[in-house]
Amino acid sequence: MSWQSVKLKEVASIERNGIGPDAITSGTQYLGLEHIESGGKILGAETVKAGDLASTKFRFSNCHVLFGKLRPYLAKIAKPDFEGICSTDIVPIMPGPDLDRSFLTHFLRQPSMVEFANSQSTGANLPRLSPKALAEFELPLPPLNEQKRIAAILDQADELRRKRQRAIDRLNQLGQAIFHDMFGDPATNPRGFEALPLGDAVEFIGGSQPAKSYFLHEDGPDRVRFVQIRDFRSDKYQTWVPKSLAKRPFTEDDVMIGRYGPPVFQIFKGLSGTYNVALMKAKPKLNLTSDFVFYLLQEPRLHSFVVANSERTAGQSGVNLDLLEKYPAYAPPADLLREFSDRIADVDNQVRAYREAKMAAERLFASLQHRAFEGEL
């Protein structure tokens, strides 16, 4: 099927309507990049008071598509259902009468467009896509009714994979409840276990960064998955490297931490490969287990402490490792750790099953995305 191809600027407006800090009123909803997950899920807006923000922001409404121009490879492309203001690292796009908002959102989120957007960005450490370059993006323009039909199919497939992720999140919450019931808050140590700083219980091992010239985009027998923060929730690997460059390998049993953000201090287990400098491995010491460490690091008070004391450099937050290693922890006896691993095994089995189902939903969604914008859906 042949559709007309147009430039984004011909069917939509990039609206950078600035609002100065003095004009921002109390109760305004504010979105920064930290409030948008890779893939576009809005994690929750921040309600600000007059005087809270010190610089100009952009206005947006529930008719805009929000495009994160900083690190475009993160695909922070959101469709808000409310109005407010956003960081100037987010570009509000207003679709014209011939362009469906959901169709545009799905088009911009597809992996080929995310990769293209990243290739058009400038800046080595903090790549940004200019609004001018974004306006030149070409997209197919089927009739409006066809756009809505395609968007509805992709919405349903997208919701399926999100349901799988919500199920995984709920199971992790169940595991956290079991942990808290058996061990309690490490800051108060209500069971009176052997007390020690977290650095004596866990070794944090930083990642390494192969030269970008060695990055590969297809799997192969002599290649290893190169895992980055964006892979944590999507279960989709974008990059592989030769095995000879896999300096920091990890397995599905290893506990991994997102060292930089936003969001900072993401905890994950269940992937394997080699990891970059934005991640670190949490290796248990003493008689502790990876099951114990995985849930220990997610204890609410510990997690909130790390996030609140993260260091901000070069436009992003990072874990303050010195403070993390000094945080209060404990070492329960071996028999209790074994009991915990036995109780958590059923949860882990269900998580693996849901993760496999989510990966199947991811593959279905990717296939539908490709077919949709090739006119084959």
Side-chain angles (χ1 to χ4, degrees), residues 34-204:
E34 65 273 20
H35 301 120
I36 302 175
E37 199 174 68
S38 292
K41 178 183 177 182
I42 295 176
L43 301 173
E46 179 182 346
T47 302
V48 297
K49 298 178 181 178
D52 279 355
L53 303 175
S55 59
T56 297
K57 308 299 177 187
F58 291 151
R59 301 177 188 269
F60 68 86
S61 72
N62 59 359
C63 297
H64 285 93
V65 174
L66 301 180
F67 188 99
K69 68 176 185 177
L70 176 65
R71 299 190 189 89
Y73 58 79
L74 292 175
K76 296 196 172 190
I77 303 164
K79 195 172 64 169
D81 58 3
F82 58 94
E83 64 179 27
I85 59 175
C86 62
S87 159
T88 53
D89 281 325
I90 300 172
V91 179
I93 307 171
M94 177 64 78
D98 297 324
L99 182 60
D100 179 71
R101 184 168 78 127
S102 292
F103 179 86
L104 173 62
T105 304
H106 284 297
F107 175 79
L108 292 173
R109 284 180 186 168
Q110 63 177 316
S112 60
M113 285 307 301
V114 173
E115 187 173 340
F116 177 75
N118 195 50
S119 72
Q120 300 301 301
S121 62
T122 57
N125 296 325
L126 294 172
R128 282 183 170 83
L129 181 72
S130 73
K132 183 177 180 181
L134 177 60
E136 295 294 325
F137 280 14
E138 291 197 1
L139 69 154
L141 193 70
L144 193 58
N145 286 342
E146 180 69 0
Q147 293 179 42
K148 293 180 181 294
R149 184 188 72 84
I150 291 170
I153 293 172
L154 293 178
D155 281 343
Q156 291 177 14
D158 191 27
E159 179 57 22
L160 177 62
R161 63 177 187 159
R162 291 183 188 275
K163 283 182 178 178
R164 300 289 187 264
Q165 183 60 53
R166 287 196 292 270
I168 293 170
D169 291 341
R170 285 195 293 270
L171 285 167
N172 283 333
Q173 290 168 9
L174 173 60
Q176 196 66 51
I178 294 172
F179 178 95
H180 199 83
D181 178 63
M182 291 187 65
F183 304 116
D185 187 337
T188 58
N189 193 6
R191 309 288 191 273
F193 300 131
E194 177 190 353
L196 70 173
L198 187 60
D200 287 353
V202 182
E203 179 184 5
F204 298 100

Side-chain angles (χ1 to χ4, degrees), residues 324-372:
L324 176 62
E325 290 179 334
K326 294 173 183 175
Y327 193 87
Y330 42 45
D335 58 341
L336 203 58
L337 291 169
R338 285 193 296 270
E339 181 185 344
F340 176 68
S341 290
D342 289 342
R343 291 182 63 180
I344 214 71
D346 289 339
V347 176
D348 286 346
N349 287 335
Q350 292 183 63
V351 168
R352 278 192 288 271
Y354 272 105
R355 185 170 290 125
E356 289 174 2
K358 180 172 177 272
M359 291 177 71
E362 292 274 9
R363 290 192 293 270
L364 171 63
F365 183 66
S367 173
L368 290 174
Q369 274 185 317
H370 176 76
R371 291 167 56 195

Side-chain angles (χ1 to χ4, degrees), residues 197-217:
L198 187 60
D200 287 353
V202 182
E203 179 184 5
F204 298 100
I205 306 171
S208 60
Q209 186 83 3
K212 289 189 176 182
S213 59
Y214 290 103
F215 286 1
L216 307 165
H217 295 286

Side-chain angles (χ1 to χ4, degrees), residues 287-299:
N287 66 334
L288 303 180
T289 64
S290 61
D291 291 330
F292 174 82
V293 169
F294 178 69
Y295 288 102
L296 169 68
L297 295 175
Q298 296 181 81
E299 267 297 285

Side-chain angles (χ1 to χ4, degrees), residues 225-243:
R225 293 162 173 163
F226 184 67
V227 180
Q228 304 172 71
I229 287 177
R230 60 181 172 177
D231 300 314
F232 270 28
R233 292 182 68 86
S234 70
D235 295 330
K236 290 169 63 179
Y237 298 99
Q238 305 284 338
T239 313
W240 289 259
V241 296
K243 285 184 178 179

